[in-house]
């Protein structure tokens, strides 16, 4: 099946199934995942070659990291420093170590594999949680703002996690010595100078032309150019996109860039989630129900207990502690990204990734139920 035909089928199915899911109260991310499951080998097997389309879909993750970088203006980071860096680092660090230890001791995985799985599962779903809070009109509440701050730190933490994976693969599969890190420093020094002295004057030149569509073209050109440079140098493309976003965060054209790239990011991320859905083996629930269902419930409970304990330690009320813990209890989209990178770097075997992907997906499905139970019990 040609790539064009696959993309057409994917978009057509998403246009029907995602709005239907929204009417039933299903989050957009889950709508994309279910669409992929229905199209893939687990159901109707209409589009059975996700590998080719995954290369295109990965640009959704790259654009997401660029937009996250654009959000991180130094002034905003400073204002939210306590919530983002203290609570965020505690949540990622403690939850990651607890999950890593659980996987190492119970499932007898190697330390590198346990590290990747544990910290990948420690990350929650930014898209899923923010949508859930917006739908419930709770984004501006105490627990909503706290959840947002921790999610912001998780998005930042995903970058070094992705960068570490090639190192865990060992020196034979990657060349990450002193020269590699020197290349990173030199590249980003060059990008800083380029963004400051070339890109911003160039933006002004394009903006003065009055051709507003060219702002979109400039945004895509920057991201694709950086990705091409990173790929040539053997540096993480997601890390490059993120840091490029940070370098342009205080640019006067930040809002125009954000507005022009966001639709591409949304569509390509949708494709990414659909390809994840396609590669999800639903038959595994029947084959190993205790591992999949038990794993999803255990993941939610472990993350809730750890987060609630951290929130109480930081003097938050019981109600807010439980609400934040419930919001952040699921696995997230970055788990899919991290696991895919770990698979390509041979840190994790595909046989391990398939059940974990299903556990993450199921934890996202179960989160609204836990959220409803906790909010009914404690929020009156």
């Amino acid at each position: 099946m040609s790539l064009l035909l696959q993309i057409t089928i994917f978009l057509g199915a998403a246009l029907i199934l995602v709005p239907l899911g929204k009417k039933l109260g299903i989050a957009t991310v889950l709508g994309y995942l279910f669409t992929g499951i229905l199209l893939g080998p687990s159901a109707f097997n209409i589009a059975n070659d996700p590998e080719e389309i995954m290369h295109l879909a990965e640009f959704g993750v790259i654009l997401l990291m660029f937009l996250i970088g654009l959000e991180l203006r130094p002034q905003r980071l400073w204002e939210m420093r306590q919530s983002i860096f203290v609570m965020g680092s505690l949540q990622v660090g403690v939850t990651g170590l607890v999950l890593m230890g659980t996987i190492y001791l119970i499932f007898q995985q190697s330390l590198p594999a346990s590290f990747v799985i544990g910290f990948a599962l420690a990350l929650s779903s930014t898209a899923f949680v923010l949508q859930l809070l917006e739908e419930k009109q709770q984004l501006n509440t105490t627990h909503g703002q706290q959840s947002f701050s921790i999610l912001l730190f998780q998005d930042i933490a995903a970058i070094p996690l992705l960068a570490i994976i090639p190192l865990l693969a060992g020196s034979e599969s990657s060349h990450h010595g002193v020269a590699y890190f020197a290349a990173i420093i030199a590249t980003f020094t060059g990008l800083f100078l380029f963004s400051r002295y070339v890109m911003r004057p160039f933006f002004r030149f394009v903006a003065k032309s009055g051709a507003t569509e060219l702002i979109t073209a400039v945004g895509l050109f920057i991201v694709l150019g950086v990705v091409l440079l990173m790929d040539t140098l053997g540096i993480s493309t997601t890390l490059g996109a993120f840091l490029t976003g940070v370098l342009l965060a205080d640019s006067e054209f930040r809002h125009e860039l954000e507005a022009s790239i966001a639709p591409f990011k949304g569509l390509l991320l949708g494709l990414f989630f659909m390809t994840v859905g396609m590669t999800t083996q639903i038959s595994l629930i029947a084959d190993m129900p205790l591992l999949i269902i038990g794993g999803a419930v255990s993941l939610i409970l472990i993350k809730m207990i750890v987060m609630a304990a951290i929130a109480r330690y930081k003097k938050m009320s019981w109600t807010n502690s439980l609400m934040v813990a419930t919001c952040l209890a699921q696995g997230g989209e970055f788990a899919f990204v991290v696991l895919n990178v770990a698979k390509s770097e041979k840190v994790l075997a595909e046989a391990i990734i398939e059940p974990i992907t299903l556990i993450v997906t199921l934890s996202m499905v179960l989160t609204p139920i836990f959220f409803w139970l906790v909010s009914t019990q404690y929020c009156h």
Side-chain angles (χ1 to χ4, degrees), residues 67-145:
L67 289 175
I68 289 167
L70 276 180
E71 284 294 313
L72 297 181
R73 298 187 307 284
Q75 185 184 352
R76 188 181 184 197
L77 282 176
W78 182 253
E79 287 168 359
M80 300 172 69
R81 63 191 181 281
Q82 183 72 18
S83 296
I84 294 173
F85 294 106
V86 177
M87 292 287 282
S89 58
L90 281 171
Q91 188 277 328
V92 172
V94 178
T95 309
L97 287 171
V98 169
L99 290 169
M100 175 184 169
T102 305
I103 289 152
Y104 181 73
L105 294 171
I106 296 176
F107 298 103
Q108 307 288 298
Q109 294 296 314
S110 67
L111 270 175
S114 301
F115 173 84
V116 171
I117 296 167
F119 279 87
L121 294 178
L123 305 177
S124 308
S125 173
T126 303
F128 186 82
V129 174
L130 293 184
Q131 187 174 332
L132 184 66
L133 288 168
E134 278 177 11
E135 285 172 359
K136 306 290 183 187
Q137 296 183 329
Q138 294 180 14
L139 193 54
N140 291 321
T141 60
T142 303
H143 66 265
Q145 286 295 296

Side-chain angles (χ1 to χ4, degrees), residues 176-256:
H176 295 79
V178 175
Y180 173 77
F181 289 103
I184 289 178
I185 293 165
T187 301
F188 289 115
T189 303
L191 278 175
F192 172 76
L193 295 171
F194 183 75
S195 71
R196 180 73 59 180
Y197 299 109
V198 178
M199 192 49 64
R200 293 182 194 193
F202 183 63
F203 260 122
R204 293 185 196 104
F205 168 73
V206 172
K208 283 177 184 175
S209 72
T212 51
E213 71 277 5
L214 288 179
I215 293 289
T216 305
V218 172
L220 290 173
F221 172 77
I222 292 168
V223 177
L224 293 175
V226 168
V227 167
L228 187 63
L229 176 65
M230 297 296 130
D231 201 41
T232 305
L233 296 172
I235 300 171
S236 165
T237 51
T238 47
L239 178 64
F242 172 76
L243 287 173
T244 305
V246 172
L247 292 175
L248 292 169
D250 60 349
S251 162
E252 64 265 42
F253 297 102
R254 183 177 67 85
H255 295 296
E256 288 89 339

